[in-house]
Amino acid sequence: MNKFTKVGLVAMLAATTLAGCGSDGGSDSATCPIRVGFVTDVGGIDDHSFNEGTWNGIKEFAKENGLDDSCIKYMQSKNDSDYEPNLSSFADEGYDLVVAAGFKFDKAIENVTPTYPDTHFLVIDTVSKEANVQSATFKAEQSSYLAGVAAAMQTKAQGGDTVGFIGGEEQDLIIAFQAGFEQGVKSIDPNMKIYVDYAGGFDKTEMGSTLAEKQYAAGAKVIYHAAGGTGNGVFASAVARAEKGEEVWVIGVDSDQYDTGIYDKDNNKSVTLTSALKRVDVAAKTAAKQVLDGEFKAEPIVYTIAEDGVGLPEENPNISDEIQAKLDEVVQDMKDGKIEVTTKRQIENGQVG
């Protein structure tokens, strides 16, 4: 299974949680040829999605390049107001690369990075023109299209006609997820209904559960979430229903969220149909390796399906052979330019297509 390992770390401070080096950076140059600091968004390090995937990429980089665990550290942002001080803290401590996870860092990056011209920064999901910043963005609409194909085919296989989408905040980035999902669904069945709801944040687990309950009750067989930590509530709703014998599914986002959906540990059964991957781990590893090799590129990098920067997990235990064959066909058509996915959605928040 191509799944991210869960880190399961607990917050130690109200505003920040640290792993690896202490605040004094207490590691020597022999074990730390470079130091990498990671600042989460408000979804937290254990969101089983965006932040956790980025941190796993940093950990993998350290392991692959023989860096001691003390060479990497993360800080959790509890509020948007934590972004600038957390970024500045790593730069003040002399970290070689500071990674910021999420489009909500756009203003913080612009405000902080000019003060630290010798520090390398990576920001994910937004684009900065600063001379010391690498920007990693992803064609998330492409993997979302695949999620739509899988959702529609699974729903039809169960005799259903409705799927759902739950987003975190109604921003352009998340709207792109929705748009791709809609197009994938409609490519299988133009008449399939799609419920769309936004939770108003990426750390609203209870709201995620509430919205999922509403959509499942209205007939959705599969819900695709692009909601960070809010998505944990979607999984909780699906797991509760599965434990009662109901066949409903969740499509995860950013990381392979199969483990998040497990409801029968003895038999490894999960409500996760598949996950729309955005390889934030690859983006983090790429930037860190560039810094290590002295080849850091302060430029925008767009990860697409062409280089497997987005897509689905290699293994999808709950996907039928028929659906997998169709997904493989669609992936190849995308790579060959036969399918183009737009970021324009058709359904407004709360409406049904």
Side-chain angles (χ1 to χ4, degrees):
M1 176 66 57
N2 180 25
K3 299 187 290 291
F4 289 108
T5 303
K6 303 296 178 284
V7 293
L9 296 171
V10 180
M12 294 175 62
L13 298 174
T16 63
T17 299
L18 309 181
C21 293
S23 61
D24 60 356
S27 58
D28 58 59
S29 59
T31 55
C32 287
I34 69 166
R35 291 190 295 158
V36 181
F38 170 48
V39 180
T40 77
D41 70 3
V42 295
I45 196 68
D46 56 353
D47 62 352
H48 308 311
S49 183
F50 188 84
N51 290 306
E52 189 169 322
T54 305
W55 178 239
N56 280 331
I58 294 170
K59 292 195 298 181
E60 289 166 11
F61 161 77
K63 182 177 180 180
E64 291 172 5
N65 292 278
L67 274 68
D68 188 81
D69 287 346
S70 63
C71 303
I72 60 175
K73 179 168 73 176
Y74 70 79
M75 295 187 186
Q76 290 196 107
S77 303
K78 299 299 183 181
N79 302 286
D80 291 359
S81 59
D82 292 332
Y83 296 158
E84 289 191 27
N86 285 350
L87 292 171
S88 298
S89 179
F90 275 130
D92 285 334
E93 291 177 30
Y95 275 70
D96 302 280
L97 174 66
V98 180
V99 181
F103 67 90
K104 297 182 77 173
F105 279 89
D106 55 353
K107 293 181 180 178
I109 282 289
E110 299 306 308
N111 291 338
V112 170
T113 56
T115 306
Y116 305 96
D118 296 327
T119 303
H120 306 95
F121 291 85
L122 167 67
V123 64
I124 297 174
D125 272 347
T126 189
V127 176
S128 170
K129 296 181 180 180
E130 296 298 327
N132 54 339
V133 181
Q134 182 175 118
S135 306
T137 57
F138 301 80
K139 291 287 187 179
E141 65 271 18
Q142 294 178 329
S143 53
S144 297
Y145 185 102
L146 298 175
V149 169
M153 292 187 71
Q154 180 64 36
T155 297
K156 289 174 71 70
Q158 292 179 217
D161 64 356
T162 305
V163 298
F165 173 85
I166 294 176
E169 293 186 5
E170 198 168 359
Q171 304 274 359
D172 287 347
L173 176 70
I174 307 303
I175 288 172
F177 283 84
Q178 178 192 335
F181 180 67
E182 290 175 1
Q183 291 164 69
V185 169
K186 298 298 185 180
S187 75
I188 299 300
D189 184 351
N191 298 314
M192 186 162 285
K193 291 182 289 186
I194 305 173
Y195 288 106
V196 175
D197 286 291
Y198 282 84
F202 298 95
D203 56 350
K204 299 182 180 298
T205 303
E206 290 185 7
M207 179 60 74
S209 231
T210 298
L211 294 176
E213 280 299 304
K214 181 183 77 170
Q215 293 189 1
Y216 286 133
K221 301 297 184 185
V222 183
I223 294 175
Y224 173 40
H225 90 88
T230 298
N232 292 333
V234 181
F235 278 101
S237 174
V239 164
R241 286 175 175 265
E243 289 175 338
K244 296 176 182 178
E246 188 174 346
E247 189 176 13
V248 295
W249 304 96
V250 182
I251 294 180
V253 72
D254 295 340
S255 304
D256 183 346
Q257 295 193 295
Y258 187 90
D259 284 355
T260 307
I262 289 178
Y263 63 94
D264 182 347
K265 293 183 179 179
D266 292 339
N267 297 294
N268 198 37
K269 289 185 178 180
S270 172
V271 296
T272 305
L273 183 64
T274 186
S275 299
L277 302 183
K278 187 165 64 175
R279 298 303 302 273
V280 291
D281 61 326
V282 172
K285 287 171 65 176
T286 297
K289 189 66 164 63
Q290 288 179 358
V291 174
L292 180 65
D293 295 340
E295 299 175 352
F296 182 77
K297 296 179 176 62
E299 63 184 15
I301 298 179
V302 181
Y303 292 87
T304 75
I305 203 164
E307 64 277 350
D308 299 319
V310 298
L312 301 181
E314 292 179 6
E315 296 182 20
N316 300 280
N318 289 324
I319 292 288
S320 69
D321 291 343
E322 178 185 2
I323 296 176
Q324 188 61 58
K326 178 63 175 179
L327 291 169
D328 292 342
E329 175 187 319
V330 172
V331 168
Q332 192 58 54
D333 284 347
M334 281 187 183
K335 290 183 176 181
D336 291 342
K338 296 178 181 179
I339 295 177
E340 293 188 7
V341 189
T342 76
T343 58
K344 182 175 176 58
R345 65 178 174 178
Q346 302 299 313
I347 304 168
E348 296 297 325
N349 186 21
Q351 293 183 345
V352 179

